[in-house]
Amino acid sequence: MPKKSKKQKKQNELNFTGGDMYVQGEISGLMRLQNKYFNKDTAFTIEERQLLGIHGLLPPVVRSIEDQVELCFMQFLDIDEDLTRYTYMIRLGARNTRLFYKLLAMHGDKCLPYVYTPTVGLACLHAPYVFQLPVVLFITIEDKGHVYNVLKNWPQADVRAICVTDGGRALGFGDLGVHGYPIPKGKVTLYTALGGVRPHYCLPICLDVGCNNPQVREDPLYMGLKRERPSRAEYDEFVDEFMEAVVSRYGPHCLVQFEDIGNADAFRLLTKYRFKYTMFNDDIQGAGVVALAAITAAVNISKSKLEDHRILFQGAGEAALGMANLLFVALKTEGLDDNEARSRIWLRDSKGLVVYDRPPGHLGEYKLMFARKRAAIEKLEDCVREFKPTILIGVSAQYGAFSREVLELMALYNKRPIIFAMSNPSSKAECTAEEAFTYTRGKCLFASGSPSPMLDYAGKKYHITQVNSLYGFPGIVMGATACCISRLPPAIFIVASHTISNLCTDDDYRHWRLLPPLSKLTLCAFEIACNVVEYAYKSKLARRKPHPTDIRAFVKHQMYDLNYEAATKTWLQEYEK
Ligand SMILES: NC(=O)C1=CN([C@@H]2O[C@H](COP(=O)(O)OP(=O)(O)OC[C@H]3O[C@@H](n4cnc5c(N)ncnc54)[C@H](OP(=O)(O)O)[C@@H]3O)[C@@H](O)[C@H]2O)C=CC1
Ligand SMILES: CC(=O)C(=O)O
Ligand SMILES: [Mg+2]
């Protein structure tokens, strides 16, 4: 065979740059098909198939992406098992990324619960069974000293948003160690599906530092390091190295979202990193965004003001404190002073009402701000009797904690009790929608953390709001990455929360919908992204220069294009050069 000249060789290379992929070198037709960002399956035209050397590798039919979506959706619906639906989605995303996201765009109502909560929880519990493809990067504490090199093994070089877990508190399941890896995968899927962040910019990471749950760790099928979690000092050294490696590899503007990190580490890491790196904690700050928006709607529906309310949290961990802190700010914005604002918020943890007077070690420093100077109360019912909350929020992962008695008391004290059972997945929720409606005799404004079906109560149908951070983080990540924000100050989360509230309509209120319907999730994300970008430029946090004149166009331009033409255009241009 005659040797190819350098020029010929160059011409034969398909060097895809600029668009949403980067493929270089001599690649076979089959390899082109195997590039998930490039693959169009049967949507390749006959000419494209000939040009790319894939003619014959596909059946002759040429389908549009819309037809492909409908075919995939039929296959998806044909699957009876939740976990099999989950793996179907993972495999589709790993084979043809655009088709996967188009399916989520066209059938999100049915498909989102299979890439996110509640099914992602099931995937964690069956992690060894669902693991098939390298869709998450695993970095273990044994990689200490060369974390940067492990990051380099991720095939994409231009990563702009990372979601990282250590499996320390995987949803409501506690410490699952490395079996928490489906969590960041689910989250980054929503960066793209809802926020429009280009998928190759997103990197899900699972840090394996061990697992303190012997039942999980000693299971012969456990996939992580069979060791206990390290000392705080060793853990911190490792995570410090990880953050430094991220900056070295991807630059200081690469955003890191901490997710489902154990309570004992999450607050410390947030305090340490929030003004040093581009990062946030979704369970603390993201939960606050969505809860404040839903509470604002509930307050409006009940024609009251926030300051008229008393809020009791069942749970005093990351989510509860994230929400309590944001509510505290909102109450102060209404004109209350610190003490008045604090007096509206009570927390209950595993030891009862959070009070000052506790034995040493029983009051974590992050709870201090909301600790009551009064006698202890153990039971939730007694807390409700004493405080008579107007709003009751469950973030304790204690299934059934909102008992009949608790719910009846809420109805006794309030014309319109506001009750959120936010723990995930559904098997950990404090009560179901049906229980809340039944025991408050249909009086409550209710929301759940995972999706709930429409409720039929006393001959009327009710839409159940899903108060979940998915309303906030995809837009925050899109906005932050679009303008290369340097830090995420607390004001960003208030901006995001107000954006969601402002998208609630009178029609939502009439139907007791506390957040815009799920069909408006992409709109929420887009509006949040635009407002985050605007805030970032105003407050000089945006690194991307110059200041865009049209922020909406600026954000739109950077969003993932779900049409195949976007991919085709790039390589055709390269080929025709
Ligand atoms: N819908 C949403 O958007 C979000 C939902 N969540 C869900 O909320 C739940 C909690 O998450 P997170 O706050 O991060 O977890 P944490 O582990 O940080 O906090 C859990 C809290 O629940 C308390 N608790 C445990 N048992 C009881 C009990 N019997 N009675 C009262 N309190 C109890 C713990 O008490 P102690 O402090 O004494 O240990 C702790 O304060 C999870 O199910 C998670 O999936 C989380 C984030 C967002
Ligand atoms: C929603 C979420 O992040 C959680 O339940 O942990
Ligand atoms: Mg979480």
Side-chain angles (χ1 to χ4, degrees):
M1 226 169 75
K3 262 191 136 188
K4 280 184 197 161
S5 71
K6 258 194 173 168
K7 198 168 166 215
Q8 270 175 325
K9 245 186 172 173
K10 180 107 186 95
Q11 267 177 353
N12 288 349
E13 278 173 5
L14 289 176
N15 181 1
F16 306 112
T17 54
D20 61 348
M21 74 201 78
Y22 185 75
V23 181
Q24 197 168 30
E26 297 254 7
I27 53 173
S28 72
L30 184 62
M31 283 162 77
R32 286 183 188 116
L33 270 183
Q34 285 167 343
N35 180 331
K36 62 183 177 178
Y37 296 125
F38 176 76
N39 185 18
K40 305 201 289 182
D41 288 320
T42 55
F44 281 112
T45 64
I46 300 299
E47 293 74 22
E48 286 166 354
R49 295 178 195 196
Q50 288 167 343
L51 203 64
L52 295 171
I54 55 176
H55 192 62
L57 301 182
L58 294 163
V61 69
V62 177
R63 290 191 209 282
S64 67
I65 193 164
E66 288 77 15
D67 286 349
Q68 288 180 320
V69 164
E70 290 321 310
L71 188 60
C72 289
F73 189 49
M74 281 193 306
Q75 291 169 346
F76 171 86
L77 290 179
D78 264 352
I79 302 169
D80 296 328
E81 284 273 304
D82 288 356
L83 259 193
T84 317
R85 283 189 174 185
Y86 175 85
T87 48
Y88 174 86
M89 294 300 285
I90 291 279
R91 278 203 219 120
L92 179 60
R95 190 188 84 219
N96 180 339
T97 303
R98 260 199 179 77
L99 181 55
F100 168 78
Y101 283 110
K102 190 85 176 178
L103 173 63
L104 284 172
M106 290 173 69
H107 295 289
D109 55 334
K110 286 274 181 321
C111 298
L112 269 185
Y114 294 91
V115 295
Y116 189 62
T117 187
T119 315
V120 77
L122 203 61
C124 291
L125 296 181
H126 296 84
Y129 299 94
V130 294
F131 181 81
Q132 299 166 358
L133 295 156
V135 290
V136 171
L137 186 68
F138 296 92
I139 306 177
T140 82
I141 193 141
E142 290 179 1
D143 297 320
K144 209 154 152 268
H146 49 98
V147 169
Y148 178 83
N149 292 332
V150 183
L151 274 183
K152 271 175 60 187
N153 288 342
W154 188 252
Q156 307 301 323
D158 189 6
V159 167
R160 303 193 184 179
I162 289 172
C163 181
V164 64
T165 191
D166 68 358
R169 191 282 283 143
L171 299 174
F173 299 121
D175 187 354
L176 293 187
V178 85
H179 286 187
Y181 84 82
I183 302 280
K185 173 63 186 159
K187 294 278 174 180
V188 305
T189 298
L190 299 202
Y191 290 178
T192 305
L194 303 179
V197 184
R198 294 177 187 178
H200 66 292
Y201 287 169
C202 305
L203 167 52
I205 294 184
C206 183
L207 298 180
D208 183 359
V209 292
C211 174
N212 281 357
N213 181 343
Q215 247 183 319
V216 173
R217 193 182 60 224
E218 299 311 327
D219 183 327
L221 292 181
Y222 182 61
M223 298 194 296
L225 298 178
K226 295 213 170 204
R227 54 162 284 171
E228 290 191 3
R229 287 177 182 267
S231 67
R232 178 181 289 194
E234 198 188 345
Y235 177 92
D236 283 4
E237 256 179 44
F238 175 58
V239 184
D240 280 351
E241 183 188 338
F242 165 71
M243 292 303 279
E244 281 158 24
V246 165
V247 172
S248 308
R249 174 84 177 123
Y250 304 118
H253 55 272
C254 180
L255 175 146
V256 183
Q257 169 174 339
F258 279 75
E259 192 66 50
D260 290 15
I261 302 283
N263 177 313
D265 301 309
F267 291 107
R268 190 177 70 259
L269 295 181
L270 180 61
T271 309
K272 185 162 143 190
Y273 294 149
R274 67 201 299 180
F275 298 115
K276 187 168 180 204
Y277 295 110
T278 310
M279 62 80 65
F280 73 104
N281 181 304
D282 181 50
D283 300 295
I284 301 174
Q285 296 160 296
V289 166
V290 67
L292 178 60
I295 288 174
T296 306
V299 165
N300 287 339
I301 292 170
S302 52
K303 298 196 177 17
S304 54
K305 286 188 182 161
L306 186 58
E307 62 173 284
D308 302 331
H309 288 268
R310 291 178 301 281
I311 307 138
L312 173 60
F313 288 94
Q314 157 77 357
E318 298 172 51
L321 287 168
M323 290 186 264
N325 278 300
L326 218 57
L327 282 164
F328 177 76
V329 173
L331 282 161
K332 284 187 58 176
T333 313
E334 284 204 355
L336 302 195
D337 67 26
D338 281 13
N339 283 336
E340 288 169 335
R342 249 195 300 267
S343 72
R344 306 293 196 276
I345 298 168
W346 281 27
L347 304 171
R348 181 177 179 275
D349 64 14
S350 62
K351 296 162 194 85
L353 182 68
V354 174
V355 292
Y356 264 110
D357 193 12
R358 277 187 167 180
H362 281 215
L363 182 61
E365 58 175 310
Y366 297 97
K367 297 176 189 172
L368 257 179
M369 170 163 164
F370 297 102
R372 319 288 340 153
K373 283 188 177 140
R374 53 152 299 137
I377 308 178
E378 197 197 321
K379 287 188 176 161
L380 177 60
E381 310 68 294
D382 294 334
C383 292
V384 174
R385 276 196 195 91
E386 180 72 18
F387 185 45
K388 300 190 176 49
T390 57
I391 304 177
L392 178 63
I393 299 183
V395 269
S396 60
Q398 298 298 307
Y399 180 72
F402 294 171
S403 62
R404 176 177 182 159
E405 190 181 353
V406 165
L407 295 168
E408 284 179 348
L409 284 171
M410 286 299 289
L412 179 69
Y413 300 134
N414 298 291
K415 189 167 148 223
R416 184 74 63 232
I418 298 165
I419 297 167
F420 296 173
M422 285 179 63
S423 292
N424 293 318
S426 319
S427 62
K428 297 287 174 184
E430 285 74 12
C431 70
T432 62
E434 195 176 354
E435 286 161 350
F437 272 74
T438 305
Y439 299 131
T440 63
R441 297 183 309 285
K443 284 166 65 172
C444 66
L445 292 170
F446 177 79
S448 55
S450 293
S452 297
M454 288 286 285
L455 178 73
D456 225 329
Y457 178 78
K460 251 182 91 178
K461 284 200 181 308
Y462 293 87
H463 164 94
I464 304 301
T465 302
Q466 185 185 354
V467 182
N468 188 295
S469 61
L470 93 167
Y471 275 91
F473 70 81
I476 294 174
V477 174
M478 181 66 213
T481 53
C483 66
C484 297
I485 206 164
S486 55
R487 301 286 173 266
L488 286 114
I492 288 277
F493 302 96
I494 303 265
V495 164
S497 188
H498 287 171
T499 309
I500 302 170
S501 297
N502 291 339
L503 287 171
C504 277
T505 61
D506 290 342
D507 188 52
D508 291 329
Y509 289 173
R510 261 195 302 281
H511 290 93
W512 292 7
R513 276 196 298 254
L514 308 180
L515 294 169
L518 293 172
S519 57
K520 288 196 184 162
L521 278 173
T522 46
L523 175 69
C524 269
F526 179 68
E527 295 298 334
I528 290 175
C530 294
N531 290 340
V532 165
V533 169
E534 193 174 341
Y535 176 85
Y537 279 101
K538 267 195 193 140
S539 50
K540 302 200 181 337
L541 291 172
R543 282 197 167 112
R544 176 162 284 170
K545 300 284 168 0
H547 188 315
T549 45
D550 180 345
I551 284 178
R552 299 177 78 78
F554 171 80
V555 173
K556 219 168 225 151
H557 180 71
Q558 297 188 55
M559 286 168 71
Y560 186 48
D561 189 337
L562 288 175
N563 296 307
Y564 284 140
E565 286 69 35
T568 311
K569 227 171 23 195
T570 318
W571 63 256
L572 272 181
Q573 278 166 3
E574 287 298 324
Y575 190 83
E576 282 163 4
K577 261 186 202 162

